[in-house]
């Protein structure tokens, strides 16, 4: 079974939710992928995080932070790649224009 469950909004007044359990350092990257897809699909204006207390699950706050960082860093890397590809495409077009003149 999966350690992630997404609850889709049932109507206009409900909100989407993503629930992750059994979070471990080995699963951070995979959870980051799920979170990134959730954020991309639903584009929430705000996020709420809930979980066990740090006193009952030492290290959970750091794991949660790492999941968020994994989601956002990967997205940032993709945006940088897309921006770089566009710059390369634009410079190739400029070079083509110069050669064509």
């Amino acid at each position: 079974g999966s350690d992630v469950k997404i609850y889709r909004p049932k109507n206009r007044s409900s909100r989407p939710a993503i629930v992750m359990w059994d979070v471990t350092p080995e699963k951070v990257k995979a959870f980051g992928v799920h979170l990134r897809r959730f954020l991309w699909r639903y584009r929430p204006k705000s996020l709420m995080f809930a979980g066990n207390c740090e006193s009952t699950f030492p290290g959970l706050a750091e794991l949660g932070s790492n999941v968020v960082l994994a989601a956002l860093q990967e997205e940032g890397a993709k945006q940088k790649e897309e921006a770089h590809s566009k710059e390369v495409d634009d410079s190739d077009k400029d070079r083509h224009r110069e050669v064509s003149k």
Side-chain angles (χ1 to χ4, degrees):
S2 179
D3 295 340
V4 176
K5 174 79 174 147
I6 294 180
Y7 295 90
R8 292 171 178 81
K10 293 185 180 187
N11 55 50
R12 291 183 156 213
S13 64
S14 65
R15 304 278 187 260
I18 183 170
V19 179
M20 302 173 194
W21 59 93
D22 295 334
V23 181
T24 64
E26 297 78 25
K27 297 178 184 176
V28 163
K29 189 172 182 178
F31 282 135
V33 170
H34 286 288
L35 179 58
R36 181 174 53 258
R37 289 177 183 161
F38 174 85
L39 296 172
W40 181 255
R41 179 171 183 174
Y42 294 106
R43 305 283 183 171
K45 293 180 183 176
S46 61
L47 295 172
M48 181 180 80
F49 295 90
N52 294 348
C53 294
E54 188 72 16
S55 61
T56 59
F57 189 150
L60 182 62
E62 182 178 358
L63 284 172
S65 297
N66 289 340
V67 168
V68 173
L69 286 172
L72 298 179
Q73 286 174 339
E74 187 67 26
E75 185 62 29
K78 285 182 179 179
Q79 289 174 351
K80 284 181 187 175
E81 280 180 29
E82 290 170 4
H84 178 71
S85 294
K86 184 177 179 341
E87 287 174 10
V88 169
D89 289 346
D90 289 346
S91 66
D92 285 346
K93 288 175 189 173
D94 290 341
R95 265 191 248 122
H96 180 70
R97 280 188 209 116
E98 289 173 13
V99 172
S100 300
K101 289 181 181 180

